[in-house]
Amino acid sequence: MSYKTLAQQLETIHRHARQGSIGSRRRYKMAMLRFLRFVGGSFKLQKIGNVSNKHLAAYARYLQSRGCKETYIITELAAVRYYHDQIPGRYKLTTDNAALGVGRRGRCGNRAWTDEEFQRLVAIARIQSREWVADVLILGREMGNRIHEAVRLYRADAERALNTGALRIKGKGGKVRLVPLTPGARDALARAKNR
């Protein structure tokens, strides 16, 4: 019975919530329903407005005991805070996840492609007769070009770069930078110039 009451209250709050994207609000609503099922059963809570930090801490411990990852737990807690903030005149829930026993989001480590992975990708592009794709990949790896920066180059840009030894790149936000050519980039531009 407690969960049904809480779910009805959530529906009322959700109808009037306009912060964030539609996708985020849908994701948060599903997370909040899971939280309400937990507090409705464990604490017999009757009003969403009565959610406190002890409920957040208990839910975080519950999710950790189930083996959930830190990022998932942090998102679940953010959903609870989002809906709690929609209730006017209520105190703020803590935003310090460490105080609730939840660590920081984990770092992904080095996500850059290894040389072997990069060479395999270039080989696949060449096998499929997509030499221009291989050249775009090489320019990105050698000179730090974004894909759209490499694709928008003109023949005159390539010729100028081969003559001067530096490529003029008009990038994100209209910013222009001059990047010295590496041997691999020089070869890629020479091939691209002749196509």
Side-chain angles (χ1 to χ4, degrees):
M1 186 65 175
S2 175
Y3 171 71
K4 279 187 176 181
T5 306
L6 292 170
Q8 289 171 346
Q9 293 172 28
L10 174 63
E11 192 57 43
T12 303
I13 296 168
H14 181 75
R15 262 196 312 267
H16 299 287
R18 294 289 175 254
Q19 246 179 319
S21 69
I22 292 171
S24 292
R25 289 196 308 258
R26 286 181 185 147
R27 162 74 174 90
Y28 279 2
K29 181 180 179 187
M30 298 310 295
M32 187 64 172
L33 286 171
R34 288 188 290 272
F35 172 76
L36 294 177
R37 187 170 286 119
F38 171 78
V39 293
S42 300
F43 293 94
K44 307 292 185 232
L45 195 72
Q46 296 293 316
K47 280 180 73 178
I48 291 178
N50 292 339
V51 169
S52 68
N53 291 326
K54 75 174 183 180
H55 300 114
L56 281 183
Y59 189 55
R61 283 191 304 272
Y62 166 73
L63 291 175
Q64 286 171 335
S65 71
R66 291 187 52 216
C68 296
K69 294 187 184 258
E70 300 294 321
T71 53
Y72 176 79
I73 296 170
I74 290 169
T75 305
E76 294 286 298
L77 297 177
V80 176
R81 290 184 191 108
Y82 171 81
Y83 281 108
H84 194 267
D85 288 347
Q86 302 299 317
I87 303 169
R90 285 291 166 184
Y91 59 89
K92 295 285 184 195
L93 294 173
T94 182
T95 57
D96 183 13
N97 290 323
L100 300 174
V102 180
R104 295 183 52 167
R105 292 180 193 262
R107 298 285 179 228
C108 298
N110 184 2
R111 295 175 28 194
W113 291 28
T114 64
D115 289 332
E116 180 184 326
E117 292 170 329
F118 180 74
Q119 293 306 326
R120 281 198 319 240
L121 184 62
V122 169
I124 290 170
R126 288 186 173 140
I127 288 169
Q128 294 180 352
S129 299
R130 303 267 195 248
E131 192 66 37
W132 70 272
V133 172
D135 291 336
V136 167
L137 291 168
I138 291 168
L139 286 174
R141 176 88 169 195
E142 297 275 330
M143 303 191 59
N145 287 19
R146 292 179 175 91
I147 293 172
H148 75 274
E149 293 171 347
V151 171
R152 72 183 298 205
L153 291 174
Y154 291 104
R155 180 186 183 117
D157 296 327
E159 289 173 348
R160 188 178 315 111
L162 292 171
N163 290 336
T164 63
L167 180 62
R168 182 180 175 271
I169 302 169
K170 185 172 183 182
K172 194 172 173 182
K175 296 190 176 173
V176 178
R177 62 187 196 276
L178 207 58
V179 183
L181 288 180
T182 63
R186 183 177 289 281
D187 295 342
L189 285 174
R191 280 191 303 273
K193 180 184 77 133
N194 294 326
R195 270 190 231 117

